[in-house]
Amino acid sequence: MERFKPSQDFPLWAGPNVLVVLCVLLFATLGVRLWYLQVVKGDVYHDKAQENRIRQRVLYAPRGVIRDALGTLVAENVPAYAVAVVREECPDINATLDQIAWWTGEDRQWLQKSFEQGKRRTKSFEEQVVVPNIPFEVVARIESERHHWPGVSVVVRPKRFYPTGSLLAHVLGYVARANDKELAQDPELLLGDNVGKLGVELALERRLRGRKGLEEFEVDATGRELGSHRLYDPVAGEDLHLALQLPLQRAGVRALAGKAGAVVVLDADTGHVLAMVSSPSYDPNEFVTGISQERWNALIDDPLHPMQNRPIQSAYPPGSVFKLVMAGAGLSTGAITPSTTVYCNGKYSVGNREYRCWRRGGHGKVDLRKSIRESCDVYYYALGERLGADAISDFARRCGLGEVTGVDLPHERSGLVPSPAWKQERFGRKWVGGDTINMSIGQGYVVTTPVQIARLVAALVNGGRVLRPLLLASDMPEEQGRLPMSDATRRLITDAMVAVVQEEGGTARVVARPGIRVGAKTGTAQVVKLMERYEKKETQEIPYKYRDHAWLAAFAEKDGRRYALVAFVEHGGHGGSEAGPVVGAMLDALFGLGEAP
């Protein structure tokens, strides 16, 4: 009993008081903590609770479909599957990514990078796409095992499909996964989104893409979905109709089969593009789900460059097609009249150098009509000297050469119309007489694209209007300028072009069609000056890289319809014999004279 006797230094009333103080402190602490959580951090925890209970889901908008002028689908959407994660629901995100890599066969490091990139653009408890495209058999495997992997889901999204394959690849382009730069520049994009990379898909990306929707849904404590409502609906991209006609396009592809080249057909009165062929081509569907490095290397290493859009990106010497510009310049400036003659003996001397006509024996006495009909070089050598380089350059630019046409396709080349000032600035050398001689027959530094030549020919027959080439059927004609020549001059030139097709000695008689007024101008453009041992060889006997390029620019008129047609065959040889049959095939398709499309 002595051992439990209260101390004289610790009064009996002190025990309850200490307990009271402790209780007060405890309740005060709890009260402060409650105030902190309810008042100071109330909004934060309210939001977290809402996120945990109320979640949001992105609703993907279908991309606008594309049809040809006859209503045939050429770019559409099909369902595609993607793997997504809600990272807050994944107990072990690394293990989850390991499993996704095993399901899909994706590289684990790439998957980690994809996940880390997507985190920055995905809210808490929001689905984050980590593998954009998976085949259906993988979907079935994931769905059968997904209950073991909380936070993993399969998302259905629209995917681009090009039913015509390579037929329209250079016009349509393709869509593919947005890269880091595109994601950084466009806040509307999410990781795994596809965007236009080339062609119309790139040029009209904003109109085709549409806008994503957003859905809110409630879940219980186990993550089970209880109900949903849409905050806003997705808006589908704009459907587009091309002016381009598939049967005509097929005719061009058939005509260029096995060759590298281009075909352009324009409605001469509106500028609408009815056909635009680049050969060889590629299948844009290969890019939609991600092309393999091996296949990509094969495409870019192909010596015929199937990824190059030749109608707008191949800028080559126009050869004798340029004589149409020279004739217009000569008549418009008064340097020549239709009856002005030049005697061609097969060669022309400038200083101590001799330039030859393509016909070694010469054309004899040549006037304007004969010069175009038989494509006499000497006539244009003489005309070039009369005009001078600056006058030729100025006139050619006013005809629309040396500048992009503005067609709705990316990466168009402007070509080049040289001048003495340009040469001095570019090479630091003076322009010499030989430069003028070369330019006079479309050689030397002057280069043009097939679509530029098509626009020029269209202007010759539509009243002189230089029109922007239009890919969309709904676009109204857009006049970019006027040819710097009178109606009478244009008639003289187009009549001479008809003579090229209709009269004896014409270089494009292969494109003559009964009942149709067809005019043309051939062009054979040297790639390099041929070595002497190849000069008398047939085209097939010359190494491919040394062969000339073949051009044929034409127009066709019947029953009020007017068209401009251009065929270009890379290293094809002679314009009439190589590009001529291509234009002939297009005329047959245009006027229903050829085989069924």
Side-chain angles (χ1 to χ4, degrees):
M1 291 300 289
E2 185 65 26
R3 188 173 43 168
F4 298 101
K5 184 179 179 179
S7 169
Q8 293 300 318
D9 300 332
F10 193 79
L12 289 174
W13 53 266
N17 286 347
V18 170
L19 186 60
V20 169
V21 170
L22 291 174
C23 288
V24 169
L25 288 174
L26 175 63
F27 279 106
T29 303
L30 290 174
V32 170
R33 181 64 178 167
L34 186 62
W35 171 80
Y36 176 77
L37 294 176
Q38 291 285 342
V39 178
V40 178
K41 288 289 188 180
D43 291 342
V44 174
Y45 289 107
H46 175 270
D47 291 346
K48 285 186 176 293
Q50 284 293 99
E51 287 175 354
N52 195 26
R53 185 176 65 86
I54 305 295
R55 302 180 185 179
Q56 293 182 339
R57 176 189 295 137
V58 173
L59 302 173
Y60 290 91
R63 198 172 176 85
V65 301
I66 304 175
R67 291 181 168 83
D68 83 330
L70 307 177
T72 304
L73 273 172
V74 295
E76 57 180 312
N77 303 300
V78 295
Y81 306 97
V83 185
V85 297
V86 176
R87 56 182 179 273
E88 289 78 8
E89 291 183 349
C90 296
D92 184 340
I93 189 63
N94 288 326
T96 301
L97 293 179
D98 287 342
Q99 181 63 28
I100 292 173
W102 185 81
W103 278 329
T104 62
E106 289 286 357
D107 178 75
R108 181 61 178 84
Q109 288 186 334
W110 176 88
L111 197 58
Q112 186 70 41
K113 181 182 176 186
S114 171
F115 172 72
E116 297 297 337
Q117 285 179 329
K119 277 172 62 178
R120 297 191 293 269
R121 306 175 72 89
T122 311
K123 296 177 182 176
S124 299
F125 294 100
E126 193 173 273
E127 289 175 333
Q128 174 189 338
V129 172
V130 290
V131 182
N133 292 290
I134 56 172
F136 184 76
E137 55 270 24
V138 176
V139 173
R141 187 188 307 167
I142 294 175
E143 289 293 353
S144 66
E145 301 174 13
R146 195 161 62 89
H147 59 282
H148 296 304
W149 298 94
V152 176
S153 60
V154 174
V155 178
V156 182
R157 308 190 303 171
K159 182 182 77 170
R160 208 51 153 176
F161 176 64
Y162 303 98
T164 55
S166 62
L167 193 67
L168 283 173
H170 291 98
V171 174
L172 296 176
Y174 60 85
V175 298
R177 190 183 307 172
N179 58 34
D180 292 348
K181 182 179 178 183
E182 290 161 338
L183 288 168
Q185 291 177 340
D186 192 339
E188 293 182 9
L189 291 177
L190 295 176
L191 193 71
D193 279 357
N194 279 348
V195 296
K197 297 287 187 176
L198 282 177
V200 169
E201 294 278 26
L202 172 59
L204 302 177
E205 164 72 18
R206 286 289 175 185
R207 294 173 62 175
L208 286 164
R209 183 192 297 176
R211 193 189 69 198
K212 296 182 180 73
L214 195 62
E215 186 178 57
E216 206 170 62
F217 61 101
E218 186 177 3
V219 296
D220 61 16
T222 64
R224 186 176 55 186
E225 187 170 328
L226 301 177
S228 66
H229 74 279
R230 290 191 175 185
L231 298 178
Y232 46 90
D233 292 324
V235 178
E238 182 183 350
D239 294 345
L240 301 178
H241 280 78
L242 301 177
L244 192 143
Q245 301 171 5
L246 269 186
L248 195 59
Q249 185 80 3
R250 288 196 183 94
V253 170
R254 283 197 297 265
L256 278 177
K259 302 173 182 173
V263 173
V264 178
V265 180
L266 301 180
D267 182 317
D269 291 303
T270 66
H272 284 113
V273 179
L274 307 183
M276 181 176 278
V277 178
S278 184
S279 177
S281 188
Y282 62 92
D283 185 353
N285 291 302
E286 292 183 88
F287 292 86
V288 176
T289 55
I291 192 169
S292 69
Q293 189 64 47
E294 181 182 9
R295 178 60 181 144
W296 172 249
N297 290 341
L299 284 171
I300 61 175
D301 292 339
D302 189 323
L304 294 182
H305 307 295
M307 298 293 293
Q308 185 174 345
N309 191 355
R310 287 178 165 81
I312 65 166
Q313 293 177 325
S314 287
Y316 290 114
S320 294
V321 173
F322 193 71
K323 292 172 182 172
L324 300 175
V325 175
M326 291 293 296
L331 291 168
S332 299
T333 60
I336 56 169
T337 68
S339 57
T340 300
T341 59
V342 171
Y343 188 81
C344 171
N345 62 0
K347 53 191 176 184
Y348 189 82
S349 297
V350 176
N352 58 358
R353 186 166 177 185
E354 196 171 73
Y355 295 86
R356 290 184 294 190
C357 184
W358 69 268
R359 180 177 289 174
R360 294 289 186 261
H363 290 87
K365 190 176 178 181
V366 180
D367 61 8
L368 179 76
R369 185 181 181 90
K370 185 176 178 180
S371 74
I372 293 177
R373 185 183 68 210
E374 301 182 16
S375 201
C376 174
D377 290 336
V378 167
Y379 184 92
Y380 289 94
Y381 295 152
L383 177 55
E385 284 213 303
R386 291 187 193 185
L387 288 168
D390 282 323
I392 298 170
S393 296
D394 178 65
F395 195 86
R397 290 196 188 93
R398 290 161 64 197
C399 288
L401 302 182
E403 63 180 29
V404 297
T405 66
V407 65
D408 276 330
L409 290 173
H411 313 308
E412 181 184 8
R413 288 188 63 182
S414 64
L416 175 66
V417 175
S419 68
W422 168 84
K423 185 181 177 184
Q424 184 66 43
E425 181 179 348
R426 176 71 176 80
F427 298 111
R429 298 200 302 269
K430 285 186 177 179
W431 188 272
V432 296
D435 293 328
T436 304
I437 295 297
N438 283 330
M439 184 164 66
S440 300
I441 59 165
Q443 293 285 167
Y445 300 112
V446 59
V447 291
T448 61
T449 63
V451 73
Q452 285 176 334
I453 296 298
R455 183 176 64 167
L456 169 67
V457 172
L460 285 172
V461 294
N462 72 8
R465 294 175 300 141
V466 178
L467 299 174
R468 183 167 79 92
L470 303 172
L471 285 173
L472 300 185
S474 58
D475 283 350
M476 300 301 291
E478 183 180 328
E479 188 173 311
Q480 298 173 308
R482 290 257 171 184
L483 288 182
M485 60 182 82
S486 66
D487 291 345
T489 295
R490 286 188 299 98
R491 278 196 297 274
L492 282 169
I493 293 173
T494 52
D495 285 348
M497 291 174 71
V498 172
V500 174
V501 177
Q502 298 289 345
E503 296 182 2
E504 192 66 34
T507 55
R509 304 199 68 188
V510 67
V511 299
R513 294 295 184 274
I516 305 170
R517 185 173 187 259
V518 180
K521 183 70 197 80
T522 55
T524 303
Q526 282 187 337
V527 180
V528 293
K529 185 172 177 56
L530 288 180
M531 289 174 281
E532 195 171 322
R533 66 176 183 272
Y534 295 129
E535 283 190 340
K536 295 182 180 179
K537 299 283 186 183
E538 294 295 324
T539 298
Q540 291 72 19
E541 298 175 304
I542 301 172
Y544 181 78
K545 64 181 179 180
Y546 296 143
R547 297 175 190 172
D548 297 335
H549 298 312
W551 288 87
L552 196 139
F555 67 84
E557 296 177 295
K558 183 182 181 183
D559 301 332
R561 295 183 291 163
R562 292 187 287 206
Y563 305 102
L565 308 93
V566 169
F568 167 77
V569 182
E570 197 170 286
H571 301 295
H574 301 293
S577 59
E578 293 300 321
V582 178
V583 168
M586 303 308 285
L587 289 172
D588 292 342
L590 270 172
F591 295 100
L593 303 174
E595 59 182 296

